[in-house]
Amino acid sequence: MNTVKRAKYRAVYRIEAYEDTLRYAYTQKVVHGYLAKKGERYVIIDTEGNHEWLINPKDEKTIGQFTGVCDKHGTEIYEGDIVQQTIGEGEEKKLVHKGVVEYYEGGYFVVGNAEESEGVWLYDTFLDLEVIGNNF
C-alpha cells in the first residue's frame, strides 16, 4: 500500500467578534494541520480531519510549514520561527546562530545568523537549536 505523507503546517486562526459598529474585538490561536485552499482562502485541516480553520487573509503571513526538525526541547520548528544555537554554560555561554527559519532552494535556512551574514542551513545546526519565538 502506497501512502503519501502530507506536509504539516501552522498558522494563526483569528476568531472575530463585533461588539457593535464602533468596537471590534478578536482572539487568536495557533492551529496545526494540513494546508488546503478553498476558493481564494487558505484553510488548515487538523490531522484527524475533524476541524477546519479558515485563515483570515490578514494572517496568511503566519502560515508556516513544519521543517521535520524539533529543537533541543522537542518543540517542532516551523517556517517563520526564530531559533538560536548557543554553546557553553553560564558566563561562557556564546551565541553561535540566531535567525528566522525560511524555505530556500529545497531546504530550510536560518537567516540572520549571529556570525555569518548569509545564515546557515537548518540541518547543519539543528542538534542544539532552541525555538525562541516567531516572526508574527
Side-chain angles (χ1 to χ4, degrees), residues 14-93:
R14 187 182 302 239
I15 304 164
E16 299 178 354
Y18 295 90
E19 295 178 20
D20 58 37
T21 56
L22 299 176
R23 288 186 293 228
Y24 167 79
Y26 71 89
T27 59
Q28 62 185 31
K29 68 178 182 174
V30 176
V31 295
H32 299 84
Y34 304 122
L35 184 66
K37 201 155 187 191
K38 283 194 170 182
E40 295 298 314
R41 306 262 310 263
Y42 287 100
V43 63
I44 299 285
I45 304 165
D46 77 355
T47 54
E48 286 81 40
N50 297 326
H51 296 91
E52 289 186 359
W53 297 281
L54 195 60
I55 304 303
N56 187 312
K58 297 176 193 172
D59 297 321
E60 286 182 6
K61 66 184 178 298
T62 69
I63 297 171
Q65 186 174 359
F66 177 49
T67 64
V69 175
C70 293
D71 75 358
K72 65 184 182 180
H73 304 294
T75 303
E76 294 178 336
I77 300 175
Y78 288 82
E79 284 179 280
D81 279 345
I82 300 169
V83 296
Q84 71 178 11
Q85 179 187 26
T86 56
I87 56 172
E89 298 292 327
E91 292 181 18
E92 302 294 318
K93 196 171 190 177

